[in-house]
Amino acid sequence: MKKNPEATAVTRQNLVDAFCILLKKKPVQKITIYAICEKAGYNRGTFYKYFLDVYDILEYVENIVIAQVKENFQKNISPSNFEETFLQAFTKIQNDKASYFEVLFNSNNRQRFTQRLIQEISPIFMQTFNLPPENPKSKYLTEIYFQTVLSALICWIDNNRDINLEEISKIIGNVLTAGVVTEIAKERI
């Protein structure tokens, strides 16, 4: 009997959604397969058709987000119109995968995910901006760039997205292009 690809995709997505709901509330170490299955409405056997364990499903979610970030970064970011392309790429990623970002950046998971994301994206960044990877300064610039973006994004998520997406995108874009001191000067009373 052949599996229906649409049903398979729906089942996998339901398991992922249940996992993400649980991950918002507790660390991955405390999530059980039983809890995921109960939340999604499936049995353990169904879970094991798609994933090995809870770490496998976490990696699946991370891989989806990392792939989308890489794709958007490669397609949209360029040194010539950095601020505009950054804003477009960031907005698209947030619109498409907001719930995944939220769980991956929660306090229980953020260090692991941010390290993986930076490791995956750094070579693309260096290539886009013609930074020689063997130059130690390139590594520092890349790290500063990503830590700035990710720290702002994490702060925004931690604060329940208290300003709209366009505002946080502009702040991040401006900080990266004009510098933090320039942005602070704009906000002074």
Side-chain angles (χ1 to χ4, degrees):
M1 177 196 274
K2 287 188 175 183
K3 289 184 180 180
N4 177 346
E6 290 175 17
T8 299
V10 168
T11 302
R12 178 179 282 115
Q13 189 59 51
N14 288 340
L15 290 166
V16 168
D17 291 344
F19 172 74
C20 287
I21 289 167
L22 294 168
L23 196 57
K24 285 180 186 178
K25 298 174 184 169
K26 54 179 136 181
V28 69
Q29 306 88 305
K30 302 274 185 188
I31 297 174
T32 64
I33 293 166
Y34 174 81
I36 295 168
C37 292
E38 184 176 57
K39 182 87 86 188
Y42 298 105
N43 62 41
R44 291 170 62 92
T46 301
F47 178 89
Y48 288 116
K49 288 178 185 175
Y50 297 93
F51 303 102
L52 299 172
D53 55 26
V54 294
Y55 295 99
D56 190 35
I57 198 168
L58 175 61
E59 188 173 337
Y60 177 82
V61 172
E62 287 178 346
N63 289 342
I64 288 171
V65 172
I66 288 170
Q68 186 167 12
V69 170
K70 284 172 81 171
E71 178 184 336
N72 277 290
F73 204 86
Q74 288 172 316
K75 284 183 181 177
N76 299 314
I77 303 294
S78 73
S80 61
N81 58 347
F82 177 79
E83 188 174 345
E84 181 184 328
T85 56
F86 173 83
L87 201 73
Q88 291 168 352
F90 181 76
T91 302
K92 179 168 179 26
I93 292 165
Q94 267 302 295
N95 288 337
D96 292 350
K97 299 294 178 200
S99 64
Y100 288 2
F101 268 97
E102 193 170 319
V103 297
L104 293 174
F105 284 139
N106 78 25
S107 60
N108 299 313
N109 306 301
R110 77 174 47 141
Q111 185 176 7
R112 169 192 153 100
F113 178 66
T114 55
Q115 286 174 343
R116 263 197 81 199
L117 184 61
I118 291 170
Q119 183 179 11
E120 294 276 341
I121 303 298
S122 291
I124 299 165
F125 178 85
M126 288 184 182
Q127 183 179 6
T128 301
F129 287 90
N130 296 317
L131 296 172
E134 65 281 352
N135 183 342
K137 289 180 183 178
S138 297
K139 293 173 186 161
Y140 286 103
L141 292 168
T142 302
E143 186 71 19
I144 290 166
Y145 171 88
F146 283 112
Q147 289 297 341
T148 300
V149 171
L150 295 174
S151 293
L153 180 58
I154 288 166
C155 182
W156 180 63
I157 290 169
D158 285 350
N159 285 294
N160 297 313
R161 295 176 170 92
D162 56 348
I163 60 176
N164 69 43
L165 179 58
E166 187 174 301
E167 287 178 287
I168 190 65
S169 297
K170 282 183 181 178
I171 290 170
I172 294 169
N174 289 341
V175 165
L176 292 172
T177 56
V180 123
V181 175
T182 304
E183 271 307 291
I184 290 171
K186 289 181 188 177
E187 298 301 320
R188 287 192 184 136
I189 299 174

